[in-house]
Amino acid sequence: KQEVTQIPAALSVPEGENLVLNCSFTDSAIYNLQWFRQDPGKGLTSLLLIQSSQREQTSGRLNASLDKSSGRSTLYIAASQPGDSATYLCAVTPSGAGSYQLTFGKGTKLSVIP
Amino acid sequence: NAGVTQTPKFRVLKTGQSMTLLCAQDMNHEYMYWYRQDPGMGLRLIHYSVGEGTTAKGEVPDGYNVSRLKKQNFLLGLESAAPSQTSVYFCASSLSSGGWGEQFFGPGTRLTVL
């Protein structure tokens, strides 16, 4: 069974710092990996989707990388801002049977201190 | 373009009562999903649909039923609510499955069963 782990569970950084969030998964047979942002009491906002054949995706100050063979992904946030404070979730779509079901990590709660 | 919407936003039920959660999307997506989010458990898939008139079970389907009579709507029903169903429920949709199946989420419904 696919398991997704995000470490650390919480992270606090001063404004302006560059930071990296980590995501690992146990089964490398995936179609894609998706990073989401969740604000308190809100839904999930899709940030980046990386296909299994891709190594990275970029959107503004965000850069996500994928190393499928080692079961790892990182989300890099450049020049962090207080508005980046949220919980970040990663999720993988398994390839083959069950390709509809995202398996989520439990998230990293990020606090950016002004 | 409203994306994915959910009604209601909040609901309190007594044990044994029934209710239906409505999800609507205006992106002409084929695939729709219902998840629940619980502290320490992450998001788990309840049921999903790969097209109008079709539904299938996810990871935690017991106690729930679904229907997809129209492409844009996906209903989640609780026939006899139990306290264990206290959770935040999210609906999501995607244009396709597999590698290009980026999922878009609604704002959630917070359900409390007393």
Side-chain angles (χ1 to χ4, degrees):
Chain A
K1 179 185 174 184
Q2 177 75 266
E3 292 184 0
V4 179
T5 303
Q6 293 185 249
I7 296 174
L11 180 64
S12 183
V13 300
E15 181 178 0
E17 191 165 295
N18 302 326
L19 60 101
V20 173
L21 305 180
N22 296 297
C23 172
S24 62
F25 47 96
T26 55
D27 188 346
S28 61
I30 63 169
Y31 273 132
N32 61 44
L33 184 144
Q34 200 166 350
W35 281 95
F36 296 90
R37 168 188 173 134
Q38 185 174 28
D39 293 284
K42 304 292 185 182
L44 281 70
T45 300
S46 178
L47 297 174
L48 290 164
L49 181 143
I50 311 176
Q51 303 297 331
S52 62
S53 58
Q54 297 175 320
R55 298 287 289 182
E56 64 179 85
Q57 280 284 346
T58 298
S59 176
R61 294 183 295 109
L62 305 179
N63 176 278
S65 67
L66 174 65
D67 184 343
K68 196 175 77 163
S69 61
S70 68
R72 294 179 183 177
S73 177
T74 61
L75 179 66
Y76 174 82
I77 303 177
S80 58
Q81 303 171 357
D84 295 330
S85 297
T87 296
Y88 291 81
L89 300 164
C90 70
V92 297
T93 303
S95 57
S99 65
Y100 311 107
Q101 180 168 337
L102 284 176
T103 301
F104 283 85
K106 295 180 181 178
T108 294
K109 185 175 182 180
L110 174 65
S111 298
V112 181
I113 311 302
Chain B
N1 191 338
V4 180
T5 58
Q6 294 181 233
T7 52
K9 289 184 170 51
F10 302 94
R11 186 71 186 268
V12 178
L13 290 179
K14 294 181 180 179
T15 297
Q17 288 185 319
S18 64
M19 76 163 294
T20 300
L21 282 67
L22 172 64
C23 175
Q25 52 92 7
D26 61 2
M27 297 175 282
N28 201 34
H29 284 176
E30 286 294 332
Y31 300 83
M32 297 187 74
Y33 315 83
W34 277 107
Y35 292 88
R36 60 177 288 173
Q37 185 177 37
D38 303 291
M41 299 293 292
L43 280 99
R44 294 177 292 170
L45 183 67
I46 305 171
H47 285 278
Y48 63 95
S49 168
V50 301
E52 182 178 320
T54 70
T55 63
K57 295 179 180 179
E59 182 183 357
V60 288
D62 294 342
Y64 305 95
N65 56 75
V66 288
S67 64
R68 184 114 179 256
L69 299 179
K70 294 182 179 181
K71 185 177 182 179
Q72 63 268 35
N73 295 336
F74 195 27
L75 278 64
L76 178 71
L78 287 72
E79 291 188 347
S80 180
S84 61
Q85 293 177 305
T86 293
S87 187
V88 181
Y89 292 86
F90 289 101
C91 176
S93 70
S94 64
L95 184 62
S96 64
S97 66
W100 297 102
E102 184 176 8
Q103 294 191 18
F104 297 90
F105 282 72
T109 294
R110 187 173 297 274
L111 175 66
T112 301
V113 182
L114 302 176

